[in-house]
Amino acid sequence: MITLTVNQQTQTFDADGDMPLLWALRDILKLSGTKYGCGQGLCGACTVHLDGAPIRSCSIPLSAVAGKSITTIEGLSDDGSHPVQQAWKEINVPQCGYCQPGQMMSAAALLAYNAMPNDDDIDNAMSGNICRCGTYPRIKQAIKNAAKSGQEQ
Amino acid sequence: MSEQKRNDVSLLNRRQFLQASGVAGSGLLLGAPLLQAKPSAVPMDVLSGAKSNSEDFLRLNLFVELALDGTVRIVCHRSEMGQGIRTGLPQVLADEMGADWNKVQVIQGQANREYGSQNTDGSRSVRDFYLPMRKMGAAAREMLRQAAAKKWAVDAGQINVANHQLSDGKNTATFAEMATLAAQQSLPNLDSLKLKAKKDFNYIGKPIDGIDMPAFIQGKAEFGVDVELPDMVHASIERSPVLGGKLLSLDDKEALAVPGVIRVEKIQGRPLPAAFNAIEGVAVIASNTWAAQQGRKKLKLKWDLGANQTHGSEGYNKTLAASHDIEEGSLKLFEQGNVQKAFKTAEHIVEANYFVPYLAHASMEPPAATAIFKDGHCEVWACSQTPQSAQRQVAGSLGIKPENVTVHVTYLGGGFGRKSKPDFVAEAALLAKQIGKPVKVIWSREDDIRHDYLHAVCDTQLKAALDKNGKITAWQGSAALPSIGSTFGPADSMAGWELDQGFTDFPFEVANVELHRRKINAHMRIGWLRSVINIPMAFANGSLMGELAAAAKIDAKAFWLQSIGEDRSIKPRLSSYSNYGKNIAEYPNDTARAKAVIEKACANAGWNDPREAGVGFGLSYHYSFLAHVAVVAKVVMDGKSPKILSLHCVADAGQVVNPDRVKSQLEGAMIFGTSIAMYSEITTKDGVVEQGNFDGYRLARMSECPDIHIDIIEADDAPRGVGEPGVPPVAPAITNAIADAGGPRIRRLPVAKTLPV
């Protein structure tokens, strides 16, 4: 049995310890907001937070996260009110929307430890997340807007 | 959608099932009399929070339902893959109807021929359905108006409809108050409806926020990979590594021993052509995706790989280049004047081969479908760009009638043409029937890259002559590429319309022209990728223009403008010219508009301003999907490595429905084009794609994304394409800028093949 905390709820279930966290979230815990994109940590679609830090859930086995605390897009806020989510909505960042949970999780983690990132900081934090639709300019703008709204609060 | 509801839909009786899929409806195709107004018995798919209790909804026509509380439900019958169509088309309908956008819900239409084409590609959704959606909205508005006229005993002409309200100056009523009576009115004649004047538009032309944003930002949007059915199992499929391969033997002992693996099923392929058939393969069925993938690794399979196992890019690319000198089997598409004579008297001649490799779609969501088969009916949920062909493909694969197949369309995590091919939907349907359980098929990234319907590798040879005034006097072209036709016919088939995409319709007035297409055999599934053959043709034309201008020492912008020439509507060179399916009299290609986007892109980029040392400027223009797009790239060389500083894009796509979404589509096109220009290439060896994931198949990342500036020239004529036309001019603008910055002339994409990037 594996026990971990997901979005502040303790979850205990039976699974192979080698199973990547991604598939446990999606297939076992039915949290489908976290997306599969590559399976090798190359695209960032599966990004979640492990004790606050961004990780690629497709490349982390369950055995490595047992007992730890995971946050997924479903847990970023209850109602889409996280500053990153609001900034995303405000300027219509998503096109197809598929990579965006991973993008928002990467962005939220960046802002959590760097409240006012510059362009290079944003590039460094976000270049592991691929968007095939090409929403990068709006993602960058939304991160700046979210940072600004965080400063004002 | 909740599991409960999904289960309910699956358990519909036959009558309800037929009603749900629309085939039993009494309505005819759009443009003919509409469905009788009646309460709809079964809700259509609900994707974003629309109420599922359809008893409260009254159907006004095929696309519109009105609830007793005044909520308007509008069907979006086209697939949402990022182009914002679930906002755009309902926005058009709601405007004509006089509805309040805040009281509109959007319902995703299932596969249903009554809607007309649902094939969401070719940048067609708005240009084909702008007018029909206006008519549907106007028809609903007229029924409300007729209802009010009866109730108030006034002439319908006196009644104003706006903002979800009806008024004749004396009486007023809300849509809710008039709903029941409106649904009892007869359907107006669609051709006699009066449509709004442009000055009265409330929503058309306005940057309305995407209707799906709340779902997207919370991770609640249901994509193809996300569908869950009760008692569902998961499949991972090992397919023939080579096109046309057949399974010789299968040892599944070790696969079945993997915990979670339930069974192993063979998927029977069909003889070539590939069409949309499932590829021959072996599916490992398990209780979760991970177990299915692990089991698949333990399969021991032997294949007869067939004739295509000798296909390798290294040799094939040479074959393409050599084909320009082979007349046998080639087609002379067009000849005018005498190019040879013109070359003899030319002041400058440029001759070059321009090469674009195989490309993969690589949508972030791989192909995925979920199916259930019960009592001779199949119900599928898929991220399909074309639900009606998915319906036909599933029916054909299972040997049942299309009316016994229901296709639900999820959100698409990108499409770009890949999800127009429903082979993956057929796989899920076949497995569902074979195992008698709901099953979800998710392709891995490696499956996606290695079994794509590839964008054709293309070698284009162009030769052009200039006179001493810099006028183009001769243009000779030769195109060598495997055809999309090969996917549906013999390997050397040629789809006639392909070379209408930039090869035969270059916008320059040239007296002497000769155009050839070479006979090429295909060895891979050839598909269509965002912008299709315009990608290699815009690269060839735009690069040649850069080279000609440099040869004649003429400013590139001036050279483009003078080569496009006088204001006129361009006459197609070929009588068979497809004009993207539209009448050329209604959708002319006007050179004034071409020159206007070039002028504006150059002005925005500071083309005529004093230039910083080392900054190269590159210009290109391309007309595709009836839209004009110009791009100016600015590049600096860091040693041998080019860095793209910016892309300035200007587009004229006719009437624009949602300017913010048009802008975002063009932003995306600049980045899609940057990937093609700089990074992406698929190669084959022994019939197998050599790349498998984003390490080998490189796409632009945020740090590689230049500054992007988009400008739209607003026009009043009919809407033209938007999703695709931005892509083609990007690569030649970038490579022209590299040459201008002191880098080499790049004639082979991607740039990464030649320079460190």
Side-chain angles (χ1 to χ4, degrees), chain B residues 233-234 263-265 285 430-439:
Chain B
V233 292
H234 301 257
R263 56 197 284 179
V264 171
E265 286 289 321
I285 314 283
L430 283 163
L431 289 174
K433 187 179 179 192
Q434 284 171 223
I435 68 177
K437 261 180 177 259
V439 60

Side-chain angles (χ1 to χ4, degrees), chain A residues 27 35-37 40 42 136, chain B residues 226 289 445-446 664 700-701:
Chain A
D27 291 347
K35 301 304 187 206
Y36 166 80
Q40 294 186 23
L42 299 167
Y136 301 133
Chain B
D226 297 331
T289 311
R445 179 58 56 197
E446 287 77 7
S664 70
R701 293 172 181 271

Side-chain angles (χ1 to χ4, degrees), chain B residues 450-472:
Chain B
R450 294 192 178 128
H451 299 286
D452 197 2
Y453 287 79
L454 294 171
H455 171 83
V457 52
C458 183
D459 191 295
T460 308
Q461 189 172 75
L462 294 180
K463 181 177 180 182
L466 299 180
D467 68 14
K468 61 181 187 310
N469 298 319
K471 182 172 175 50
I472 306 173

Side-chain angles (χ1 to χ4, degrees), chain A residues 28-121:
Chain A
I28 297 174
L29 301 179
K30 312 292 185 194
L31 291 168
S32 61
T34 304
K35 301 304 187 206
Y36 166 80
C38 70
Q40 294 186 23
L42 299 167
C43 80
C46 66
T47 304
V48 299
H49 297 171
L50 169 65
D51 295 330
I55 56 157
R56 313 301 184 202
S57 66
C58 73
S59 303
I60 303 272
L62 279 176
S63 57
V65 296
K68 303 217 160 111
S69 175
I70 302 295
T71 305
T72 70
I73 185 70
E74 290 91 345
L76 193 58
S77 71
D78 291 338
D79 51 4
S81 62
H82 187 282
V84 162
Q85 291 170 306
Q86 284 302 301
W88 248 242
K89 183 162 167 279
E90 191 64 33
I91 60 166
N92 288 297
V93 171
Q95 288 189 28
C96 85
Y98 188 82
C99 73
Q100 300 298 344
Q103 303 276 5
M104 285 184 281
M105 295 310 284
S106 290
L110 164 66
L111 290 171
Y113 88 96
N114 181 351
M116 281 305 271
N118 62 26
D119 279 2
D120 285 345
D121 298 332

